[in-house]
């Protein structure tokens, strides 16, 4: 019986998704949308023909087609494969209905708004990032199609990343393949737009104070968060946490809840921290700082992505020289350094744990069973090496970031921002 209800829901979702809200809204105002603008029934063409307000109304209506269908599938329909599958099938049906509506001879819109509604319900976090990407891309290039293409690509990449980082509904294969399929359909529907983008003839949204303000505000926010988080973590959190724990364990009367083990009060052999209690400070600081890295690097990467997109998205439609080569190179170098350190996070943590385990094996073993000191010192040098590389990469990232900001302030902004 559940399967029957699901099949009925899929059919209903298709018929609901096939409702051409853009065409209906236009006809209420006496406009034949099929003969105006690009002839498409989507929100972009409505906005181009009838104005921004009507375009927004149609976008929200089309978005609700996908969101409501997926939500009903998740909430009320079940099948042997789980409610997640019901949500995917219902959302997919509404999406296909918008692309190929039976009411219009199977010639529909491009699926961006309806697909966005589906993703808002099924994968809300990647969807939110995709929406911000769309806003940044359109603000930078003034091309709705370019924003749709980039945000769709980002959505697929993020959902693929979630697949390997999480389990459960947020990271199953069905959702990833569905996201990939929807993204593919959106790109196929935008083939004509892609050709116009490549030829430099794609339609642009009307320039306005709204888009200029959005571009400037998003750029300032991304740059401010990028610089602020870098400075706070590099110069405050990192050294501050280590120094605080070292002072805490080395004081004559440490807090009762910070007990220094007796084995760490013994004389340190040559090559190891002296006194050995510094090892405890290093361990405690590592436990505090390591989880922050898992937030810090993704946040830095996001900031770098938005800065490059906002400043240099116009490379796709304007002369590269108008954007500024110096800031492009510097911000790109900073972004690469961030990704490199993010990649080193796993090996660094592995080396840290190896160093900790070998040190424990030395200080806790009896005198006759102590492992060779050379092995412990080798593990410590291995960690110091990879940690030093990470610090150098972080320094290069900071210098490149600072150079990019200076370049914008004194040269690139005069060429890039006014031409937005």
């Amino acid at each position: 019986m559940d399967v029957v209800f699901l099949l009925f829901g899929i059919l209903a979702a298709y018929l609901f998704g096939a409702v051409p809200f853009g065409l209906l809204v236009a006809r209420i105002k006496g406009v034949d949308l099929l003969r105006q603008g690009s002839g498409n029934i989507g929100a972009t063409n409505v906005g181009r023909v009838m104005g921004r307000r009507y375009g927004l109304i149609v976008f929200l209506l089309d978005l609700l087609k996908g969101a409501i269908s997926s939500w009903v599938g998740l909430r009320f329909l079940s099948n042997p494969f789980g409610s997640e599958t019901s949500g995917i099938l219902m959302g997919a049906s509404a999406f296909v209905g918008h692309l190929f509506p039976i009411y219009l001879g199977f010639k529909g819109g491009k699926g961006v708004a309806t697909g966005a509604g589906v993703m808002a319900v099924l994968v809300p976090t990647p969807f939110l990032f995709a929406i911000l990407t769309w806003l940044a891309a359109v603000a930078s290039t003034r091309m709705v199609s370019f924003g749709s293409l980039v945000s769709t690509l980002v959505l697929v990449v993020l959902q693929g990343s979630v697949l390997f980082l999480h389990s459960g509904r947020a990271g199953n294969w069905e959702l990833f393949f569905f996201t990939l399929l929807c993204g593919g359909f959106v790109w196929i529907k935008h083939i004509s737009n892609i050709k116009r983008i490549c030829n430099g003839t794609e339609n642009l949204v009307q320039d306005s104070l709204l888009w200029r303000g959005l571009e400037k505000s998003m750029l300032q926010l991304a740059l401010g968060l990028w610089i602020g988080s870098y400075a706070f973590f590099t110069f405050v959190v990192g050294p501050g946490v280590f120094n605080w724990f070292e002072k805490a364990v080395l004081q004559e009367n440490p807090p009762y809840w910070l007990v220094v083990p007796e084995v760490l009060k013994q004389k340190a052999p040559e090559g190891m921290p002296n006194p050995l209690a510094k090892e405890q400070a290093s361990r405690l600081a590592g436990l505090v700082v390591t989880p922050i890295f898992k937030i810090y690097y993704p946040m830095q990467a996001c900031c770098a992505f938005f800065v490059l997109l906002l400043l240099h998205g116009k490379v796709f439609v304007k002369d590269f020289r108008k954007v500024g080569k110096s800031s492009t190179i510097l911000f790109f170098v900073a972004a690469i350094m961030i990704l490199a350190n993010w990649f080193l996070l796993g090996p660094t943590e592995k080396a840290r744990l190896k160093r900790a385990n070998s040190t424990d094996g030395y200080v806790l073993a009896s005198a006759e069973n102590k492992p060779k000191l050379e092995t412990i010192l080798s593990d410590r040098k291995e960690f110091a090496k990879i940690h030093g590389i990470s610090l150098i990469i972080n320094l290069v990232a900071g210098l490149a970031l600072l150079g990019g900001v200076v370049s914008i302030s004194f040269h690139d902004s005069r060429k890039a921002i006014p031409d937005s």
Side-chain angles (χ1 to χ4, degrees), residues 210-228:
L210 175 65
W211 285 115
R212 293 184 184 182
L214 180 63
E215 179 183 15
K216 185 176 181 180
S217 298
M218 293 188 74
L219 176 60
Q220 290 175 340
L221 179 61
L223 263 179
L225 188 59
W226 191 0
I227 297 169

Side-chain angles (χ1 to χ4, degrees), residues 62 101 159 246 272 287 298 308 332 334 390 396 404:
D62 285 344
Q159 188 56 30
E246 186 170 298
M272 294 185 69
L287 289 175
L308 288 170
F332 186 74
S390 178
V396 173

Side-chain angles (χ1 to χ4, degrees), residues 275-297:
L276 270 176
K278 288 184 178 181
E279 179 69 17
Q280 183 181 16
S282 177
R283 301 278 187 91
L284 293 172
L287 289 175
V288 172
V289 173
T290 298
I292 299 177
F293 281 125
K294 297 178 181 179
I295 301 174
Y296 173 73
Y297 287 126

Side-chain angles (χ1 to χ4, degrees), residues 76 296 394:
F76 299 107
Y296 173 73
N394 189 60

Side-chain angles (χ1 to χ4, degrees), residues 40-42 97-101 104-111 189:
N40 191 270
I41 64 170
H98 182 80
L99 294 177
F100 309 105
L104 299 176
F106 303 103
K107 296 180 180 180
K110 297 181 179 180
K189 281 284 191 174

Side-chain angles (χ1 to χ4, degrees), residues 322-345:
K322 294 182 179 179
V323 179
K325 294 181 181 180
S326 56
S327 62
T328 301
I329 294 172
L330 288 168
F331 283 129
F332 186 74
V333 168
I336 292 298
M337 294 299 102
I338 291 167
L339 294 177
N341 253 346
W342 196 358
F343 174 79
L344 281 177
L345 186 57

Side-chain angles (χ1 to χ4, degrees), residues 99 129 153 157 159 175 187 198 203 209 227 268 308 332 361 366 418:
L99 294 177
F129 193 87
L153 183 62
V157 171
Q159 188 56 30
L175 270 178
W187 274 68
C198 295
N203 295 318
L209 291 176
I227 297 169
L308 288 170
F332 186 74
S366 59

Side-chain angles (χ1 to χ4, degrees), residues 169-208:
R169 184 168 69 84
N172 60 43
W173 282 100
E174 291 85 357
L175 270 178
F176 171 69
F177 284 124
F178 173 64
T179 306
L180 185 63
L181 184 64
C182 289
F185 270 116
V186 169
W187 274 68
I188 290 172
K189 281 284 191 174
H190 279 79
I191 288 177
S192 59
N193 301 88
I194 294 172
K195 291 179 180 178
R196 290 196 294 270
I197 291 173
C198 295
N199 294 331
T201 57
E202 176 64 327
N203 295 318
L204 306 180
V205 297
Q206 185 178 0
D207 194 15
S208 66

